Amino acid sequence: MMMRLTRLTTALLAGALFAFPALAVDLRIGLQDDADVLDPAQSRTFVGRIVYTALCDKLVDVSPDLKIVPQLATEWKWSADGKELTMKIRDGVKFHDDTPLDAAAVVATIERNMTLPESRRKSELTSVAKVEATGPLEVKFTLKAPDVTLLAQLSDRAGMIVSPAAAKALGANFGSKPVCAGPFKFVERVQQDRIVLEKFKDYWDKDKIFVDKVTYLPIPDTTVRLANLQSGDLDFIERLAPTDVAAVKGNSGLKYDATVNIGYMALYANVGNGPRADNPFGKDKRLRQAFSLAIDREAMNQIVYEGTAVGGNQPFPPNSPWFNKAIPVPARDVAKAKALIKAAGFDRVPVELQIPNNPVAQQMMQILQAMVAEAGFDVSLKSTEFATLLDEQTRGNYQLSRSDWSGRVDPDGNIHQFITCKGGINDTKYCNAEVDKLLNEARASTDDAVRKQKYDAASVILNEDMPIIYLGHQSWIWAYKKSVTGFVPSPDGMIRLQGVKKG
C-alpha cells in the first residue's frame, strides 16, 4: 500500500510540473539615479539610456569595440556627396502595441524628434533637411550639409523608434506609457522607486532574451546599493564604488566587470543662462581659470576612485585620439590661481556648487571644495537628486553644477550639443561664433585629420573661456550575482540584456 501511495504521489508531482509554468525570471537592477522622463525625444539622463537598452531599439547600435552595428536598420549607405543617407529597415518588427514598425514609423519618429516643442534631439538632428520613406522598408535622410556624425546620433536616443500611434495619442506625455520596439515593454513606473518592464513576446530577436521581467531600482547611495546586492535583493548593480571593488572580488557569490568609459566628469558654469549667470564667476573667465588651476585632478581621482579614474581637462580622455596634446591636463597651481583672482579684483570668491546626492560625487566635491578654498574660493555645496539637478541646470537655476556625461562614439557627441549657441544640452548658455563654426565644420568633414584640426582649435578657445571645467574620466564598474551570466561590458556603460541569463 505504501509503495502505491508513493507512486501516486510521484505521478501527481510530475503532473504538477507540467501543469504549472516555470517561475518567471525577474532581473532586479540597482541604478545610481532615477531616470527622468521615459520619452527618447525628451530625456537626457544616463540611467534613462540604460532603461532604453531594454525598452527602445534604435536604428543602429554600438558594439563593445565601439563600432556602429545594425539594429532596426539592417544596412545603410551614404551618397557620394555625403548629403544623403539611405537605410533599409528590418522586416517583421512590431511595436509593443502590436502595430508594425516600417519606414513610415521611422519617418514619424524622426520628424517628432525634430519638431516636438519639448524635444532635446533637435540639435542632434540639425543637419537633417528632410526624412522620407522611399519604400515600405526604406528611409532616406537628406542633409543640409554633409554630417558624418548622424549615424552615431542614430545609435542613441535620436534613433530610438517609437510607436506613431502612441506618440500621437500621448504627445508630450508619451513618457507616462512609452511604446517602443525593444525586447521589453513598459509595465509600470513609480518615481524614485522602480521602473518595471516585461519581456515582449513578439520581439524580433526574442531568441536572445532569457529574462521574463526586469525591474530597475534607483538607489543613489553606493553602500546601500552594494548591500542590496550582497543580501540578494538585487541581482545586478551599475557604478559600483571603486572603494567597494575589493569587497566584491572577495565575495565568492558575486562577479565584477569594469571598462574605461568614453565620457567625462565636469563642472558646468552658468555663464549666460538667466539672472543667476549675473555674478563674477559667471562673467569673468579669469575666475573660472583660477578655479580650474586650484584643483589637483590626479590626486582627487586617485583618492575617490582608487586609481580607476584619470584626470582630464577636455571632453575627450587623454588616451583618446581626439585629445589635444597641446593642452595637457594642468598641474595644480595655487599661486597662479590666487594671482588670477587678484587680477579680477577679488580676495575671496563665494561660489554655490550644485552636486548630485550620491556619496562618490559628494566625496569628490568635498575634496575639491577644500582644494579651491586654498586659492580663495568659498564653495557651498548644494546636494540634490540627480534628475532635479539636471532640471535646475536647464532652467538656469544654478551658479556652478557638477554633472557627468556618459560619452558618445563620435567625438561630436561629447561637445557639440553642450557648447554650441543653440545646443540642445547647452545649460551654460555659452555662445561663441568661432566655436560654432569650428564644430559645425568638424561635423561636415569625413576626413578625421581635418576634424581633429577643428576640435583642437575649438579646445583652445574653450580652455580659455572655460564654460565647462572638465575634471576627469572614470571607469564603468558593474557587480552582479554569480548566477547572472552572459553580460558583456561596453565602454558606453549600457547594460544590454541580450544573452543575459539568471540561474
Side-chain angles (χ1 to χ4, degrees):
M1 182 70 177
M2 180 65 69
M3 187 178 291
R4 287 177 62 192
L5 282 172
T6 303
R7 285 173 180 167
L8 181 61
T9 303
T10 303
L12 286 169
L13 285 171
L17 290 174
F18 287 106
F20 298 100
L23 291 173
V25 178
D26 180 8
L27 189 72
R28 295 171 63 83
I29 299 176
L31 303 177
Q32 181 166 288
D33 310 294
D34 194 21
D36 59 348
V37 59
L38 290 177
D39 180 349
Q42 299 184 61
S43 65
R44 62 179 295 177
T45 58
F46 172 69
V47 290
R49 292 176 61 224
I50 292 177
V51 175
Y52 287 139
T53 59
L55 182 65
C56 300
D57 273 9
K58 303 156 291 190
L59 288 170
V60 290
D61 199 11
V62 179
S63 67
D65 60 352
L66 301 179
K67 299 287 194 301
I68 303 292
V69 295
Q71 196 166 63
L72 293 175
T74 56
E75 57 183 278
W76 52 88
K77 64 179 180 180
W78 288 98
S79 61
D81 63 1
K83 292 179 70 173
E84 289 181 358
L85 174 65
T86 304
M87 306 187 100
K88 301 281 188 184
I89 306 304
R90 190 177 298 279
D91 194 8
V93 178
K94 284 185 179 180
F95 290 109
H96 300 148
D97 59 5
D98 291 326
T99 58
L101 191 156
D102 54 14
V106 173
V107 170
T109 294
I110 301 299
E111 289 182 340
R112 179 177 187 263
N113 287 341
M114 293 168 65
T115 60
L116 185 75
E118 297 82 1
S119 175
R120 292 185 179 276
R121 308 282 79 85
K122 292 174 184 176
S123 68
E124 298 166 14
L125 298 168
T126 188
S127 64
V128 178
K130 66 175 179 177
V131 57
E132 57 192 320
T134 47
L137 294 170
E138 185 178 274
V139 172
K140 183 171 75 172
F141 293 83
T142 302
L143 310 187
K144 301 168 188 172
D147 178 11
V148 71
T149 73
L150 179 61
L151 205 55
Q153 300 291 7
L154 297 177
S155 75
D156 194 33
R157 285 168 290 210
M160 294 175 188
I161 308 306
V162 305
S163 162
K168 183 177 180 181
L170 295 169
N173 199 34
F174 179 85
S176 65
K177 193 176 180 181
V179 181
C180 294
F184 294 84
K185 63 181 182 179
F186 181 80
V187 175
E188 68 165 339
R189 177 178 192 177
V190 179
Q191 292 283 155
Q192 304 299 326
D193 183 70
R194 66 186 180 273
I195 295 170
V196 182
L197 312 179
E198 67 180 16
K199 182 177 179 178
F200 178 46
K201 62 181 176 58
D202 290 326
Y203 180 56
W204 64 270
D205 202 16
K206 61 180 179 290
D207 292 345
K208 292 180 182 174
I209 304 300
F210 304 100
V211 174
D212 299 301
K213 186 169 81 168
V214 56
T215 303
Y216 298 95
L217 300 111
I219 305 174
D221 191 306
T222 52
T223 304
V224 175
R225 206 156 63 244
L226 176 58
N228 276 269
L229 177 67
Q230 292 168 325
S231 69
D233 289 337
L234 291 175
D235 302 301
F236 198 113
I237 63 175
E238 55 104 15
R239 279 178 283 182
L240 175 74
T243 49
D244 292 329
V245 168
V248 171
K249 286 184 172 180
N251 187 327
S252 61
L254 299 178
K255 291 192 284 191
Y256 155 92
D257 265 312
T259 186
V260 176
N261 77 21
I262 52 176
Y264 58 76
M265 300 175 280
L267 303 175
Y268 294 76
N270 187 345
V271 299
N273 193 351
R276 291 208 59 188
D278 191 13
N279 64 82
F281 195 83
K283 295 301 181 187
D284 195 328
K285 64 185 178 183
R286 291 172 296 184
L287 294 179
R288 299 191 293 275
Q289 292 167 2
F291 197 95
S292 176
L293 283 167
I295 303 168
D296 188 331
R297 289 164 169 81
E298 288 302 334
M300 186 168 60
N301 284 311
Q302 286 290 327
I303 294 167
V304 177
Y305 292 99
E306 302 274 315
T308 63
V310 297
N313 65 330
Q314 297 174 36
F316 322 116
N319 63 348
S320 166
W322 303 103
F323 184 83
N324 185 355
K325 293 180 181 178
I327 310 173
V329 179
R332 188 180 190 222
D333 192 335
V334 175
K336 189 174 180 181
K338 285 181 175 179
L340 283 167
I341 293 172
K342 186 176 181 180
F346 294 91
D347 178 36
R348 307 292 303 179
V349 181
V351 178
E352 183 187 84
L353 172 55
Q354 176 181 250
I355 64 173
N357 64 341
N358 73 73
V360 176
Q362 289 177 338
Q363 181 193 6
M364 188 179 189
M365 293 301 95
Q366 286 164 358
I367 293 170
L368 180 144
Q369 180 185 39
M371 286 178 174
V372 300
E374 293 180 26
F377 291 98
D378 297 318
V379 173
S380 58
L381 299 177
K382 179 185 177 184
S383 179
T384 186
E385 188 272 326
F386 188 61
T388 302
L389 177 146
L390 291 179
D391 184 58
E392 297 282 72
Q393 276 188 201
T394 300
R395 294 191 294 112
N397 188 24
Y398 76 101
Q399 186 180 8
L400 187 64
S401 184
R402 160 69 194 276
S403 181
D404 299 347
W405 179 242
S406 53
R408 295 295 182 269
V409 179
D410 191 278
D412 179 89
N414 276 19
I415 187 169
H416 193 283
Q417 57 192 328
F418 296 96
I419 223 73
T420 50
C421 296
K422 295 183 180 179
I425 320 180
N426 182 358
D427 293 337
T428 71
K429 291 296 184 278
Y430 172 79
C431 185
N432 182 303
E434 180 61 19
V435 170
D436 273 31
K437 179 175 179 289
L438 288 164
L439 296 183
N440 287 334
E441 287 172 350
R443 273 188 164 183
S445 177
T446 56
D447 185 332
D448 280 354
V450 172
R451 299 186 79 200
K452 179 71 165 65
Q453 291 171 356
K454 304 296 182 185
Y455 290 125
D456 282 355
S459 69
V460 171
I461 300 170
L462 295 172
N463 190 61
E464 172 76 15
D465 293 347
M466 213 161 277
I468 299 177
I469 301 171
Y470 300 99
L471 301 175
H473 313 269
Q474 58 183 300
S475 291
W476 300 127
I477 309 176
W478 302 271
Y480 48 99
K481 287 181 181 176
K482 196 173 183 179
S483 58
V484 174
T485 60
F487 171 67
V488 179
S490 179
D492 66 2
M494 296 298 100
I495 301 171
R496 292 172 175 82
L497 296 177
Q498 285 82 349
V500 172
K501 298 178 181 180
K502 179 184 170 183

